[in-house]
Amino acid sequence: MTEASGVRAEGGVEKQTAHSPAPFTLAVDAMGGDNAPGIVLAGLEMAAIRHPEIRILLIGDEKVLNASLTNYPKLSALCTVRHAPESIPMEMKPTAALRVRGSSMRIAMEAVASGEARGVVSAGNSGAMLALAKIIVKALPGISRPAMAAVQPSARGDVVMLDLGANIVCDARNLVEFAIMGEAFAQAALSLKAPSIGLLNVGSEELKGDERLKQAAERLRDSVLSDRFYGFVEGHDITAGVTDVVVTDGFTGNVALKTGEGALKLAFGLLRSVFMSNWLTKLGYILVRPGLRRMKEWIDPSRYNGAVFVGLNGIVVKSHGGADAEGFASAVDVAIDAVENRLNDKIRHRLDQLGMLGQSGENKEQE
Amino acid sequence: MTEASGVRAEGGVEKQTAHSPAPFTLAVDAMGGDNAPGIVLAGLEMAAIRHPEIRILLIGDEKVLNASLTNYPKLSALCTVRHAPESIPMEMKPTAALRVRGSSMRIAMEAVASGEARGVVSAGNSGAMLALAKIIVKALPGISRPAMAAVQPSARGDVVMLDLGANIVCDARNLVEFAIMGEAFAQAALSLKAPSIGLLNVGSEELKGDERLKQAAERLRDSVLSDRFYGFVEGHDITAGVTDVVVTDGFTGNVALKTGEGALKLAFGLLRSVFMSNWLTKLGYILVRPGLRRMKEWIDPSRYNGAVFVGLNGIVVKSHGGADAEGFASAVDVAIDAVENRLNDKIRHRLDQLGMLGQSGENKEQE
C-alpha cells in the first residue's frame, strides 16, 4: 500500500483508495480511567455500533469484564477478553508503573508491539502510558521524542496542537519532528491535504523567541515542508485558526491548552449568570437555547477527547481519565482514523524525504 | 514614610495613611501608540478629571501638542509640555531605538531617572520601552530582571500575572523575584493584604516541570513568602482564580495571556452567531443585552489595559498600542495606583527580608 492511497480529499469523506480498509484490532485497556471499566465498556459499545468492522482486544480483570459484557451485545460480538492481573493506579509514578509486569496497560502495549493490534486506547495514567509506550511500542526510527497531539476548536475549524505535555524541554530538532508529526496528524485526523503549520512564539519583534525557535523555523523554511510552514504564530492565533497545526514544546503546549479551556469555562460561567439574572433573561435563554447547545457541543471537550502519542510504532491514544462514554468513544474514533488514514506511513514518508529516517536524534542536540 | 503606611485594607478603599498622598508628576510619552497623540491626549483628559491632584509632564512634538491641548482643558490645567524632536516607530528594533537620543520615550524615562517624575506611561514600542527603562530608569537593587505584570479577569476576581514577555528564558532566581514583585503588585493594584502566589506548571505528576520550577518552589517554601506561596498551578487555574498571583517565565506568560484572550474572543464570536441566527434569537439577545454588556465590560481588555514593567527605579507603565482613550486612561490609573500605594517600597521591603537587596542577581545563575 502506498503512502498516497490513504489520503482523503480535502474536506471530503470519500477515500481515494479503491478498497475498504482491512479489518484490524485495537487493544483497549479496560481498567484505565476514573470510572473503569464501566465507562470504557459503554464507550466501546458506542464505537462498536459505529465501527462493526474493527476487532477489540479487551484487557483487564477477566471475571469483571466477562460479567459486564453481557450488557454490551455489540461490543461482545467483536471483542476478545485477555486477562491482566493488575492495573496501574491513576496517581502512580511512571517509574513505578514500569515495574508492574501484569498491568492491563502494559499487556495492551505488548499487543501493539507484537503486531497483534494496530493501536491501543487507554483512559489511564498518562505518564505511565507515555513511559510504557516508549519502552514497549517504541519510537518510530528517526523520531527522538514522541509527542502528545490533539485537536482543538478554533474560529476557522479544527486545529492540531502538539506537544501537549510529553516533553517539557525541547530543542530545534524536536520541534521539527513535531511539525512533521503534526502535518501527518492533521492529514489523518482532519482530512486536510496540505495543512499549514505554525510555530508558537511570542509575537513582537523585540520579545521574539529564543534560539531553538529560530533554528527550528530556519530548518522548516529550508526543507520540503517549506510550503506548509506558515512561520511564527502567537497564542491568540490558536483559537483564531490561523494555521491548521500549532507546534510548541510540551510545557507551553500544556499551559496553552489548559488556559484556553479555562477561559472558555470562564466565559460559559459568566454567560450562565447573565441568563439566570431574572425572568426576562431566563426567557431570553429559552429563545437561544438550541443555538447555545450547538455552540457548547461544538467546543465540548468530550468531542475533542482522544490525544495521540504520535511518533510511536503503533497508534497510542489517551482518553481523558474523567471522560464519559461518549468521550471514550471519540477516543476510539481517533485511533481508528489514525490507523485507517495511515498516520505512521505519512510520518515515515516525511522523515524519509527529510533524510531523518536513519537518524536517532535522541539527545543529539540536547541543551 | 514607612512601608506599612501605604497598605490599604483588604477589599477596602480607605487608606491606612492619615494624610493624602503628596501630589506627584507622571511623565507621559505623547507620541507612542497607533493613534498618538490624539488618543493619548483624550485618555489623559479622562485621567485629569478623575485625578486633578496629579501633574503631567507631556513629552512630544511641542507644536502639535500645544495646538491640540486647547481641546483638552482639564489636561491643560495640570500639564507641562516638553519638546522631543523625535519619536520611536512601533516596529523599530530596541537596539536601534536606544540610539535615538531625542525620542519622546527616552526623554520621559529621563524625567523618571532624574526624580522629576515618579512614573512614566507610554503606548509605544514595548521592546524599546523595556530596553530604555533598563538603561535609564534602571533595575531596583536586588532585581536582576524587571518583568512585565498585568491584571487579568478570573472567575474569582482579578489575578496578577507575570512575566508577560520581558524575559523569554528565566532561572529559579528570576522566578523568585517575579513572586516578590507579583505579591507587591497585587497589594498595590488589587488592595489585597496577603495575596496568594502560584507558580505556573504542567500538572500531572509525571509531566511535572523542570528543575528551575522545582528550585523556585523550594526557595519560596523556605522563605518569608512561604505563607503566601500556594504551590504549583495549571493553565486552567489562572481563569479559575485559584491564586491572586500567577508567576511564570515571559515566554509561557505571553502565550498564556494571548491564548486566554483568544479563547474568550472565540466564545464571544460563537455567541454572536447564536444570537444572530433568526428573529427569535435576536429577541433573546434583546432580553439579555444589559447583562451581556456588563459581562463584556468585565472582561473588556481596555479595562485591564496598563501592564507594568515591575522591578525598576520608578513606575513604568505600558499601554496597549491600539488602546482607545478609555484604555489609555486605565493605564494612567495603573501608574497612579502603583505610585500612591508604594509598589516599589513593598518590593524593596521583601528583597530586604529575603536578603536579596544587596545582590545583583544578573546572570548569576543563568542556564
Side-chain angles (χ1 to χ4, degrees), chain A residues 91 93-94 125-128 130 148 153-155 164-166 168-169 200-210 212-213 234-236 238-239 248-252 254-264 266-268 270-271 274-275 277 280-281 283-285 287-288 291-292 294-295 298-299, chain B residues 91 93-94 125-128 130 148 153-155 164-166 168-169 200-210 212-213 234-236 238-239 248-252 254-264 266-268 270-271 274-275 277 280-281 283-285 287-288 291-292 294-295 298-299:
Chain A
E91 299 306 319
K93 291 200 174 183
N125 181 324
S126 56
L130 178 61
M148 194 174 185
S154 93
L164 298 176
I168 295 307
V169 182
L200 192 59
N201 198 352
V202 293
S204 327
E205 180 61 29
E206 71 285 0
L207 305 171
K208 64 183 177 246
D210 52 26
R212 297 169 314 151
L213 284 173
E234 295 189 62
H236 46 80
I238 304 171
T239 45
T248 186
D249 65 86
F251 189 90
T252 311
N254 190 281
V255 167
L257 174 80
K258 289 176 178 167
T259 304
E261 283 177 359
L264 287 179
L266 173 66
F268 278 109
L270 291 172
L271 199 55
V274 167
F275 281 122
S277 314
L280 273 176
T281 59
L283 176 60
Y285 172 68
L287 295 175
V288 296
L292 278 180
R294 276 195 305 277
M295 170 179 166
W298 193 57
I299 53 178
Chain B
E91 300 306 321
K93 291 199 174 183
N125 182 325
S126 56
L130 178 62
M148 193 176 188
S154 92
L164 297 176
I168 295 307
V169 181
L200 191 60
N201 198 351
V202 291
S204 327
E205 179 61 29
E206 70 287 356
L207 305 172
K208 64 185 178 248
D210 53 26
R212 299 168 314 152
L213 284 173
E234 294 189 62
H236 47 80
I238 304 170
T239 44
T248 187
D249 65 86
F251 189 89
T252 311
N254 190 283
V255 167
L257 174 80
K258 288 176 178 169
T259 305
E261 283 177 1
L264 289 179
L266 173 66
F268 278 110
L270 291 172
L271 199 54
V274 168
F275 281 122
S277 314
L280 273 174
T281 59
L283 176 61
Y285 172 67
L287 295 174
V288 297
L292 278 180
R294 277 196 304 278
M295 171 180 166
W298 193 58
I299 54 179

Side-chain angles (χ1 to χ4, degrees), chain B residues 45 69-78:
Chain B
E45 181 74 3
L69 271 173
T70 52
N71 300 319
Y72 303 102
K74 301 289 180 191
L75 171 59
S76 299
L78 45 78

